């Protein structure tokens, strides 16, 4: 997708997404055979319900029908929330991942000296993350601070055996 089309779609669709108290995370146009696929990814601090995606999809479809933003070719519209394996790239992504286990790829030139780190996010501020690094072989977890500038890549780690907050409160 050209930058111009991407910017035009973002300018057209972002007000619709924001009106639903959601963040527009990604716009992707790709080919699927003869048709094009327009994929819109939205998120919020509370996550995104399926009904909200369906309602937003109808509003986006109506808006695109009113304009020529997608041209004359057929396309399939998909509105969804980000997958669990989405990279953490924005400050708000880290805030939303508080309490979750993450895998960080650290920069070699940073204070941390590079390498990979798996830890749980305890808190997030403007400069970086306060983490809890799990103990190995019966050792206690340790606290660690990582600055945003020292993070090359970050991604939430899927935990199948961890109870979520709602289960713990019950």
């Amino acid at each position: 997708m050209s930058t111009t089309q991407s910017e035009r779609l973002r300018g057209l669709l972002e007000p619709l997404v924001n009106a639903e108290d959601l963040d527009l995370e990604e716009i992707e146009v790709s080919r699927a055979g003869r048709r094009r696929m327009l994929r819109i990814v939205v998120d919020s601090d509370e996550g995104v319900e399926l009904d909200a995606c369906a309602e937003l999809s109808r509003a986006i479809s109506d808006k695109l029908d009113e304009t020529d933003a997608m041209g004359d070719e057929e396309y399939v519209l998909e509105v969804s929330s980000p997958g669990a394996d989405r990279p953490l790239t924005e400050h708000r992504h880290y805030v939303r991942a508080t309490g979750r286990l993450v895998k960080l790829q650290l920069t070699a030139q940073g204070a941390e000296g590079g390498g990979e780190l798996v830890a749980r996010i305890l808190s997030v501020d403007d400069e970086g993350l306060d983490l809890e690094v799990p103990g190995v072989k019966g050792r206690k977890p340790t606290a660690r601070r990582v600055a945003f500038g020292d993070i090359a890549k970050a991604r939430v780690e899927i935990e199948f055996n961890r109870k979520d907050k709602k289960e713990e409160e019950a």
Side-chain angles (χ1 to χ4, degrees):
M1 176 170 65
S2 72
T3 304
T4 306
Q5 184 183 25
S6 176
E7 290 169 357
R8 185 171 178 204
L9 285 169
R10 182 168 286 279
L12 187 67
L13 302 179
E14 200 157 35
L16 292 173
V17 174
N18 292 343
E20 299 295 326
D21 292 326
L22 299 171
D23 295 315
L24 179 56
E25 295 291 344
E26 185 179 334
I27 297 175
E28 178 188 337
V29 177
S30 60
R31 284 258 169 225
R34 292 184 327 205
R35 294 188 202 176
R36 291 177 299 159
M37 170 76 78
L38 172 58
R39 182 171 289 124
I40 309 291
V41 179
V42 296
D43 202 5
S44 78
D45 290 343
E46 295 80 34
V48 182
E49 302 270 330
L50 184 60
D51 289 343
C53 282
E55 187 175 312
L56 184 59
S57 179
R58 285 188 289 276
I60 289 173
S61 179
D62 290 345
K63 183 59 122 180
L64 292 174
D65 288 347
E66 292 173 11
T67 68
D68 66 344
M70 289 300 292
D72 295 333
E73 290 182 64
E74 290 184 27
Y75 66 93
V76 175
L77 173 63
E78 177 184 298
V79 177
S80 65
S81 61
D85 63 344
R86 175 224 13 224
L88 305 175
T89 57
E90 302 284 337
H91 184 270
R92 68 178 178 264
H93 298 165
Y94 291 97
V95 171
R96 291 174 184 160
T98 300
R100 307 278 309 267
L101 197 64
V102 295
K103 181 186 284 187
L104 304 172
Q105 185 67 43
L106 303 174
T107 61
Q109 62 272 21
E112 304 297 325
E116 197 171 87
L117 174 65
V118 176
R120 189 167 311 283
I121 298 177
L122 298 177
S123 65
V124 180
D125 60 31
D126 290 340
E127 285 81 42
L129 311 172
D130 289 314
L131 305 168
E132 178 185 74
V133 181
V136 187
K137 297 182 181 176
R139 294 188 180 143
K140 291 184 178 182
T142 57
R144 186 161 175 187
R145 174 82 180 166
V146 175
F148 285 121
D150 294 340
I151 300 172
K153 293 181 186 177
R155 187 176 303 273
V156 171
E157 286 285 282
I158 307 299
E159 295 180 89
F160 293 106
N161 58 353
R162 181 179 164 114
K163 293 180 182 178
D164 71 14
K165 293 176 187 173
K166 292 176 186 170
E167 287 180 34
E168 291 174 6
E169 292 171 358

